[in-house]
Amino acid sequence: MRILDMITFVALARHRHFGRAAEELHTTQPAISIRLAAMEEEFGCRLMHRTGRNFSLTPSGQRALEAFQSILSAYDGLKHELSDETRLAPKVVRIGAIDSVSSTWMTPFVEALHEAAPTLKIELTVEGTKSLVDGMNKGEFDVIFALDPAIGDNFRSFTSCVLQMTWAGSPKIINPDRTYSVDDLASLPIITFPKDTPPYRMIAPYFQDEQVLASKLTSSNSLYSIISLLIDGFGVGAIPSVTIKRELKTGLLHPIRVTKHFPAMPIIGTYQAITEKELIISVVEQARRSAALYCSTADPSMAWVD
């Protein structure tokens, strides 16, 4: 979902006419139709009814219109703030994020910042939580999105979104129709993040016996490497389900039915509140909107905003 798509929908809802909407947006009627069809496919429902000369919003379309108008109003406010050159010095925002963020809503977030302020330079670093928190404490980042907050008098933290964790594995080594107990999972090779990382801190108590877990553990500090190992059948792992939507849909991985569910994983944003306060706060507000918009289009059981 792009800002342009939202603008198109609002214009179409206002004019109730493809031709006039296309004229306002300096495009063609087929382009307007394609954008509307793509939005309806993404949301999985009809947003507009068109019968002859009758043109009306569906109830879902009315809800989408209200949400888009709110988002565009906030976007215009951000664009106005960030376009003021006096508020852009220095014109660099240093953002750090874990893999689970970079693979979900980070791209639309960065795109929204670029659209609002083309002169703003964004330095993006993808690292593990420990490196990001250490970097924040050393003054290397302005904003980070990790599993732990950075603690300090000059830092502020918030929950950007929550990702549901699910046990997953390849059909090469698991039976998708079987329900696994904790002991059943413990008998399988486990793939997770390295010891002393937040995901490992969530895994170890799940089994209540770290020695048993350690004997069957393969660790990696890369989400993408873990997914690859899971697909190849080297083990099972608890992983944010939204990050493996494609693999679950294609059957490369299957969710494991378990008797004990794995807790959800909050994504914590931390930002420094000393320099360039207005700029940083505007960036944080856009991050909140981008995360919320992503969650609104995702399966609500996989990702949400508290």
Side-chain angles (χ1 to χ4, degrees):
M1 181 74 65
R2 302 169 298 171
I3 292 293
L4 177 60
D5 297 325
M6 297 184 205
I7 293 173
T8 299
F9 187 83
V10 171
L12 192 54
R14 181 171 61 254
H15 291 292
R16 298 293 202 276
H17 192 278
F18 280 85
R20 288 193 290 271
E23 183 178 350
E24 176 186 331
L25 299 176
H26 306 289
T27 187
T28 63
Q29 292 187 46
I32 298 292
S33 297
I34 290 171
R35 292 173 193 172
L36 175 60
M39 283 186 280
E40 290 181 330
E41 182 178 357
E42 181 168 345
F43 284 116
C45 63
R46 292 294 298 274
L47 300 177
M48 291 188 175
H49 286 310
R50 187 186 183 196
T51 305
R53 294 189 177 184
N54 295 324
F55 197 117
S56 61
L57 294 176
T58 65
S60 296
Q62 185 61 44
R63 290 178 60 191
L65 175 63
E66 294 169 0
F68 290 169
Q69 288 174 328
S70 176
I71 291 168
L72 290 174
S73 175
Y75 170 77
D76 288 339
L78 174 66
K79 187 173 182 179
H80 177 74
E81 291 178 21
L82 297 186
S83 64
D84 186 344
E85 292 294 331
T86 62
R87 299 184 183 187
L88 283 177
K91 300 176 184 178
V92 178
V93 174
R94 303 163 300 168
I95 301 172
I98 59 174
D99 284 340
S100 296
V101 175
S102 70
S103 65
T104 52
W105 54 267
M106 181 55 66
T107 296
F109 168 47
V110 171
E111 287 178 347
L113 290 179
H114 276 308
E115 286 187 35
T119 60
L120 183 64
K121 182 179 179 182
I122 300 170
E123 295 180 352
L124 177 61
T125 301
V126 179
E127 287 282 0
T129 290
K130 185 177 186 304
S131 295
L132 293 176
V133 171
D134 288 345
M136 195 74 181
N137 288 324
K138 294 175 183 177
E140 297 172 355
F141 298 109
D142 298 306
V143 186
I144 62 171
F145 299 95
L147 302 184
D148 287 334
I151 306 299
D153 292 338
N154 300 319
F155 298 146
R156 303 291 182 269
S157 297
F158 64 98
T159 300
S160 61
C161 64
V162 182
L163 304 182
Q164 181 58 52
M165 302 283 281
T166 187
W167 284 100
S170 166
K172 298 174 184 177
I173 65 168
I174 65 121
N175 179 355
D177 298 322
R178 175 185 172 185
T179 298
Y180 288 75
S181 67
V182 173
D183 288 340
D184 293 332
L185 288 175
S187 68
L188 297 171
I190 306 295
I191 304 172
T192 187
F193 288 86
K195 192 174 182 179
D196 298 326
T197 62
Y200 183 91
R201 293 203 307 265
M202 298 170 71
I203 288 274
Y206 182 90
F207 290 95
Q208 301 178 347
D209 187 345
E210 193 167 334
Q211 294 301 318
V212 172
L213 176 62
S215 67
K216 300 178 180 294
L217 186 73
T218 299
S219 65
S220 171
N221 64 354
S222 167
L223 173 67
Y224 305 102
S225 295
I226 291 175
I227 293 174
S228 179
L229 289 169
L230 292 175
I231 291 172
D232 289 338
F234 283 96
V236 299
I239 195 167
S241 49
V242 74
T243 65
I244 52 172
K245 289 190 302 181
R246 180 177 56 188
E247 290 78 9
L248 293 175
K249 185 175 182 180
T250 59
L252 288 173
L253 293 175
H254 287 270
I256 301 175
R257 298 178 181 180
V258 293
T259 56
K260 179 182 177 182
H261 291 289
F262 204 84
M265 183 175 72
I267 303 296
I268 309 298
T270 301
Y271 61 97
Q272 59 89 359
I274 306 177
T275 61
E276 297 303 316
K277 291 183 180 180
E278 293 184 359
L279 173 61
I280 299 302
I281 289 175
S282 295
V283 170
V284 167
E285 290 176 349
Q286 181 58 57
R288 289 179 181 273
R289 288 192 291 271
S290 295
L293 183 58
Y294 177 85
C295 291
S296 71
T297 61
D299 184 329
S301 68
M302 293 184 176
W304 63 89
V305 175
D306 283 337

